[in-house]
Amino acid sequence: METVTGYVDHIVFRNEENGYTVFNLDNDDGEVTCVGSFNFINEGEMLGLQGEYVNHNVYGNQFKVSAYQVKEPEDLVSIERYLGSGAVKGVGAALAARIVRRFKEDTFRIIDEEPERLSEIKGISERKAREIAEQVEEKKDLRKAMIYLQKYGISTKLAAKIYKYYGMKVYKVLEENPYQLADNIEGVGFRTADEIASRIGIHTDSDYRIKSGIFYTLQQAAGEGHIYLPQDVLLKRASALLEVEISDIEKYIMDLCIDRKTVMKETEDGEMRVYPAHYYYLELNTAKMLHDLDIDCDMPEDMMERRLKAVEKNEQIELDPMQHRAVIESIKHGLLVLTGGPGTGKTTTINTMIRFFDSEGMSILLAAPTGRAAKRMTEATGYEAQTIHRLLEVNGNPEAEGNVSGFGRNRENPLEADVIIIDEMSMVDLPLMHALLSATVPGTRLVLVGDVDQLPSVGPGSVLKDIIRSECFPVVRLTRIFRQAGESDIVVNAHKINSGEPVILDNKSRDFFFLKRQNADVIISVIITLIQKKLPRYVGASPNEIQVMTPTRKGLLGVERLNQILQRYLNPADPGKTEAEIRGRLFRTGDKVMQIKNNYQIEWEISTKYGLTVDKGTGVFNGDMGIITEINPYTESLEVEFDEGRKVKYSFEMTEELELAYAITVHKSQGSEYPAVILPLLPGPRLLYNRNLLYTAVTRAKRCLTIVGSDVTFQEMIQNKSEQERYTSLAERIKEF
């Protein structure tokens, strides 16, 4: 470890996100290029650096900084340099020279203790003297606060955020109620605030802690898909989290209700439900808006029938009775739910609806929750479909509480269409449904299409199920499997799984294979052979298009282990590939990755091979998949190319939003289809290994499905209907109107 001291001469590059900085340091030995993560450093500052010299293959010799201290300038040259560096606004090199010439070594003392004396210098008014003193003081305060916060294990980046929000009140906040941080500062959750509180010495049974813990439990539950928790479940969960006995939970919940953070509601049978306020009102308003859309059309039914017959004849479409009914219902009502499994003719029905409404001169919008599902919809209908986020013109972060402007399309600026058709509705969560309804005016027809037997949405709520469960709106369920689809064993077996019938595993199929293996490592080597050698030729797809899916994240066949092994075999290390280890995870050029959270602000662009930008926009969403095309260790960034050629730059800090995607969980595969799917199966937790999950996994495969593993587990999953129940009440809210 070496030590270097000098002045920041010139900042070459700075990443504001993570503080990664490249700068030239002027010291006794001449100029040194330094790299590392810094909070606020300015040109002209004096720094003491610890680190080591490294030789970069492009940029030559550099000093890589592992720790640093900001030093008070000591000699006159340093003081002058610091003041004239731009660190203090309004003080240039000439003025700094005059100040130092006048006050010499006393300069900082004068600024601190007698700032009015600065006005003795030509060009400095009393007001300017005060401003200079305030700036120097502020920087001092900021540094002090940073050091104070770091005592409690808070990173410099987070400390900067906290200081920016609270300023000098930060000490008071931390000493009285650090749990405020979880409410006000993005990136601070209950756990972090709790850790700070315990270091400060706040009692484990303090009111602040219990209230904050209860609210955090509700937020965690929302992350699992729940809209509310029954009071007794909340009590149990919050007590386990806080590791304290909560004697009078109602008092704390009432306090949270007064703070408008929660809502309590008692059911007819005396169950007390506790909602985060935000989700309570989302559910209530969603129910009301669904009713507002349900307007009947005044066209006589025989006229509808005649016009539909004419469209069928022109387009040469043959509908079965249920499909016919679905189209008539979509003409008749303002709201329709169309549900059915694979191969039951949902696409033909949607196409007929589109052709009918088109022939009536009505404007139509099509959308789906994910980019892949929207692309599929476009291919199936010949009409442009987009993601719901894009349809609603996402701007900013619509998930941020209290954000009303997350979408460009809203109540004030609704969607201009006569008909809106949404596909893959099982994936739509409550917040997104609320946003869609807010932008849809009564009089617009809304057709919701999806497979209600698939896994529920990743986000909170079970919108499609609840709308059907309410029995307040027209629902058409398609059950007949069409001949073409009936030739596919994937489709036939999916329906057998869904109705709980055993599936014959004799491998006489062309698209549904079962390879019995009982050992995890043997299963993995079979998967690698399938991807590298057998499947690409069989399904006519590249290895990257073949998707491994697994029920779990952890364990011998969990996503985390599978990805590490598959990366080693499918994208091995090579001198021609750049790689970077970021927080214990290895990324390599050519890796297949997935975005794992919605990021509404991140920019993407589509460019030609000559680098001309064709399209640009913002937003990459949970479940989007792409390939790492470039890793730049110098700027600490990497580039991912997603579907449709959208290129996105990530700083190394932001890679926590990415993970390897050679293997993904079944939950993450929703709304996507792949030419070939491989599903490894060994016994696992009963709550997860259920019919619903198996059905969703099977229906993701387009041309070939290969299950590798235990046939006993497979048959058990078909019989296992135990799903994790979601606490939602949209169906009841709908019935109330």
Side-chain angles (χ1 to χ4, degrees):
M1 190 78 72
E2 297 193 47
T3 306
V4 176
T5 304
Y7 307 99
V8 180
D9 188 56
H10 171 57
I11 294 174
V12 180
F13 169 83
R14 176 156 176 85
N15 180 336
E16 290 303 337
E17 280 285 320
N18 59 9
Y20 178 78
T21 314
V22 180
F23 62 93
N24 298 334
L25 187 87
D26 206 353
N27 79 343
D28 300 342
D29 302 331
E31 203 168 72
V32 182
T33 303
C34 301
V35 296
S37 282
F38 297 81
N39 316 333
F40 298 97
I41 58 163
N42 288 300
E43 292 177 352
E45 286 197 307
M46 187 176 183
L47 299 181
L49 309 174
Q50 287 97 47
E52 54 187 355
Y53 284 98
V54 291
N55 199 19
H56 193 280
N57 52 3
V58 178
Y59 304 101
N61 201 27
Q62 297 177 334
F63 189 71
K64 195 172 179 185
V65 180
S66 51
Y68 75 100
Q69 295 89 36
V70 177
K71 298 199 164 205
E72 285 284 336
E74 290 150 1
D75 56 12
L76 296 187
V77 175
S78 325
I79 297 171
E80 186 179 319
R81 205 160 180 176
Y82 176 72
L83 288 176
S85 68
V88 181
K89 280 191 185 73
V91 178
L95 191 53
R98 288 211 293 279
I99 295 172
V100 175
R101 242 192 337 267
R102 175 69 186 261
F103 299 119
K104 307 219 169 22
E105 285 87 354
D106 256 1
T107 300
F108 277 123
R109 189 190 63 75
I110 298 281
I111 295 174
D112 261 353
E113 295 169 13
E114 306 170 70
E116 65 283 353
R117 284 191 58 193
L118 290 172
S119 58
E120 295 169 16
I121 291 159
K122 194 179 167 197
I124 299 182
S125 63
E126 275 187 28
R127 185 168 153 223
K128 190 163 184 176
R130 274 199 308 278
E131 279 173 8
I132 294 171
E134 272 165 22
Q135 281 189 67
V136 172
E137 184 63 32
E138 196 181 302
K139 294 242 156 74
K140 200 161 89 187
D141 287 344
L142 169 71
R143 289 221 177 86
K144 271 191 193 148
M146 293 290 217
I147 292 162
Y148 172 76
L149 289 166
Q150 279 166 14
K151 260 197 338 214
Y152 298 115
I154 298 171
S155 72
T156 49
K157 188 183 167 191
L158 203 52
K161 254 189 197 170
I162 294 171
Y163 183 80
K164 196 172 168 187
Y165 188 89
Y166 292 110
M168 291 310 286
K169 286 197 235 131
V170 65
Y171 305 102
K172 192 167 177 266
V173 165
L174 281 192
E175 276 155 26
E176 286 181 6
N177 176 16
Y179 295 99
Q180 288 180 45
L181 299 178
D183 296 338
N184 298 328
I185 312 290
E186 198 187 340
V188 179
F190 171 78
R191 298 261 181 215
T192 312
D194 201 32
E195 203 172 307
I196 296 168
S198 73
R199 289 184 180 182
I200 287 170
I202 287 175
H203 286 293
T204 52
D205 58 355
S206 86
D207 283 5
Y208 289 134
R209 182 169 186 261
I210 292 174
K211 267 186 355 195
S212 190
I214 290 170
F215 190 64
Y216 174 74
T217 306
L218 284 174
Q219 285 173 313
Q220 289 297 100
E224 296 164 26
H226 304 298
I227 299 297
Y228 70 88
L229 284 180
Q231 189 172 292
D232 53 347
V233 175
L234 175 60
L235 175 65
K236 209 157 88 192
R237 284 193 174 196
S239 302
L241 168 81
L242 297 165
E243 296 175 351
V244 293
E245 274 298 316
I246 305 173
S247 51
D248 184 8
I249 190 165
E250 281 189 17
K251 167 179 138 356
Y252 297 108
I253 297 171
M254 283 309 298
D255 284 350
L256 287 165
C257 290
I258 293 164
D259 294 343
R260 298 193 176 174
K261 283 182 152 182
T262 59
V263 171
M264 289 170 86
K265 192 170 171 67
E266 193 170 354
T267 62
E268 284 171 12
D269 53 8
E271 180 191 58
M272 189 58 82
R273 296 171 172 179
V274 185
Y275 297 75
H278 172 63
Y279 287 119
Y280 176 82
Y281 291 111
L282 278 185
E283 225 176 39
L284 196 64
N285 294 334
T286 298
K288 182 177 180 320
M289 290 188 289
L290 284 167
H291 276 288
D292 293 347
L293 285 178
D294 192 24
I295 303 170
D296 288 352
C297 169
D298 51 9
M299 187 192 290
E301 197 153 330
D302 57 336
M303 191 190 279
M304 292 180 194
E305 291 283 358
R306 273 200 315 277
R307 292 187 183 179
L308 177 56
K309 281 275 184 291
V311 169
E312 286 182 54
K313 196 175 167 189
N314 283 344
E315 300 286 340
Q316 294 173 334
I317 301 171
E318 279 183 41
L319 299 179
D320 86 335
M322 285 311 274
Q323 290 176 307
H324 183 86
R325 191 180 138 222
V327 180
I328 291 289
E329 293 282 329
S330 74
I331 306 164
K332 230 188 250 185
H333 304 286
L335 182 72
L336 170 73
V337 176
L338 176 65
T339 181
T344 54
K346 292 197 294 289
T347 304
T348 307
T349 314
I350 295 173
N351 273 328
T352 313
M353 288 176 187
I354 293 171
R355 304 294 179 269
F356 178 90
F357 291 126
D358 207 17
S359 70
E360 295 287 313
M362 296 163 89
S363 58
I364 306 160
L365 287 172
L366 307 181
T370 64
R372 282 176 174 244
K375 195 173 169 191
R376 259 201 357 254
M377 203 177 179
T378 304
E379 287 162 3
T381 59
Y383 275 68
E384 192 206 349
Q386 36 190 341
T387 63
I388 302 174
H389 287 99
R390 210 162 179 189
L391 177 78
L392 298 176
E393 297 170 13
V394 65
N395 57 41
N397 179 1
E399 290 172 6
E401 274 193 41
N403 185 358
V404 268
S405 64
F407 293 105
R409 295 286 182 174
N410 45 37
R411 199 159 280 135
E412 281 69 49
N413 179 26
L415 292 163
E416 289 146 31
D418 299 310
V419 183
I420 300 171
I421 302 176
I422 306 290
D423 199 8
E424 294 285 356
M425 259 308 295
S426 60
M427 296 179 67
V428 175
D429 59 16
L430 181 68
L432 190 56
M433 188 65 188
H434 182 274
L436 175 69
L437 293 171
S438 302
T440 309
V441 287
T444 306
R445 283 180 172 79
L446 182 63
V447 179
L448 306 175
V449 185
D451 185 348
V452 74
D453 296 313
Q454 284 192 26
L455 289 169
S457 57
V458 175
S462 52
V463 175
L464 184 62
K465 259 194 190 133
D466 281 352
I467 294 174
I468 297 173
R469 207 181 286 152
S470 73
E471 296 177 352
C472 292
F473 308 109
V475 175
V476 177
R477 187 187 272 269
L478 303 177
T479 50
R480 180 184 155 199
I481 303 175
F482 284 83
R483 188 179 57 80
Q484 242 171 321
E487 289 168 9
S488 157
D489 285 321
I490 294 174
V491 171
V492 171
N493 289 337
H495 285 273
K496 280 187 175 171
I497 291 167
N498 200 25
S499 52
E501 295 169 36
V503 172
I504 298 158
L505 305 172
D506 58 3
N507 284 341
K508 287 181 181 166
S509 167
R510 284 203 306 257
D511 61 1
F512 191 102
F513 301 104
F514 200 105
L515 306 176
K516 290 181 193 174
R517 303 287 189 276
Q518 301 299 336
N519 176 294
D521 291 340
V522 173
I523 292 174
I524 295 171
S525 70
V526 170
I527 292 174
I528 293 164
T529 310
L530 286 169
I531 298 174
Q532 285 182 326
K533 295 181 180 148
K534 297 197 173 166
L535 283 175
R537 270 203 316 275
Y538 189 69
V539 295
S542 74
N544 267 340
E545 291 175 288
I546 296 164
Q547 192 56 56
V548 179
M549 278 181 215
T550 174
T552 57
R553 289 198 59 84
K554 306 274 183 219
L556 294 174
L557 291 175
V559 166
E560 292 170 8
R561 180 169 187 248
L562 278 174
N563 270 321
Q564 280 184 349
I565 298 171
L566 293 174
Q567 179 190 40
R568 215 160 46 235
Y569 284 94
L570 303 178
N571 187 29
D574 184 279
K577 294 176 190 169
T578 320
E579 56 182 56
E581 191 172 323
I582 309 163
R583 297 201 179 121
R585 298 188 304 159
L586 185 69
F587 291 104
R588 191 175 285 137
T589 314
D591 270 339
K592 183 175 168 184
V593 288
M594 176 188 263
Q595 175 79 12
I596 57 168
K597 62 183 277 196
N598 289 341
N599 185 330
Y600 298 89
Q601 272 85 29
I602 199 165
E603 292 174 0
W604 55 261
E605 61 175 47
I606 300 171
S607 54
T608 64
K609 61 177 180 190
Y610 302 112
L612 292 167
T613 302
V614 183
D615 193 9
K616 55 175 26 174
T618 57
V620 180
F621 303 108
N622 190 350
D624 284 358
M625 281 174 130
I627 302 289
I628 297 179
T629 49
E630 184 188 318
I631 295 177
N632 187 332
Y634 183 60
T635 59
E636 295 208 336
S637 65
L638 54 84
E639 184 180 80
V640 178
E641 185 172 322
F642 289 99
D643 289 345
E644 293 136 34
R646 293 175 302 143
K647 290 188 175 161
V648 176
K649 268 209 167 25
Y650 289 83
S651 68
F652 279 6
E653 282 274 311
M654 285 166 68
T655 56
E656 60 198 29
E657 295 182 9
L658 289 175
E659 63 180 36
L660 293 175
Y662 297 103
I664 61 173
T665 60
V666 178
H667 282 82
K668 287 281 189 198
S669 71
Q670 281 175 273
S672 300
E673 264 190 358
Y674 307 94
V677 166
I678 304 172
L679 181 67
L681 268 192
L682 282 179
R686 191 168 159 78
L687 205 59
L688 188 62
Y689 281 58
N690 56 25
R691 182 186 299 176
N692 204 296
L693 181 123
L694 186 60
Y695 174 73
T696 304
V698 170
T699 52
R700 300 304 92 206
K702 210 156 61 189
R703 295 199 281 277
C704 176
L705 171 82
T706 312
I707 301 173
V708 192
S710 157
D711 53 332
V712 176
T713 301
F714 174 76
Q715 302 292 5
E716 279 175 355
M717 282 176 83
I718 298 176
Q719 298 313 318
N720 176 13
K721 283 185 77 174
S722 66
E723 278 175 68
Q724 187 170 3
E725 189 200 344
R726 287 196 167 185
Y727 295 113
T728 66
S729 49
L730 181 62
E732 294 155 45
R733 288 292 93 84
I734 291 171
K735 286 178 189 168
E736 286 169 6
F737 283 95

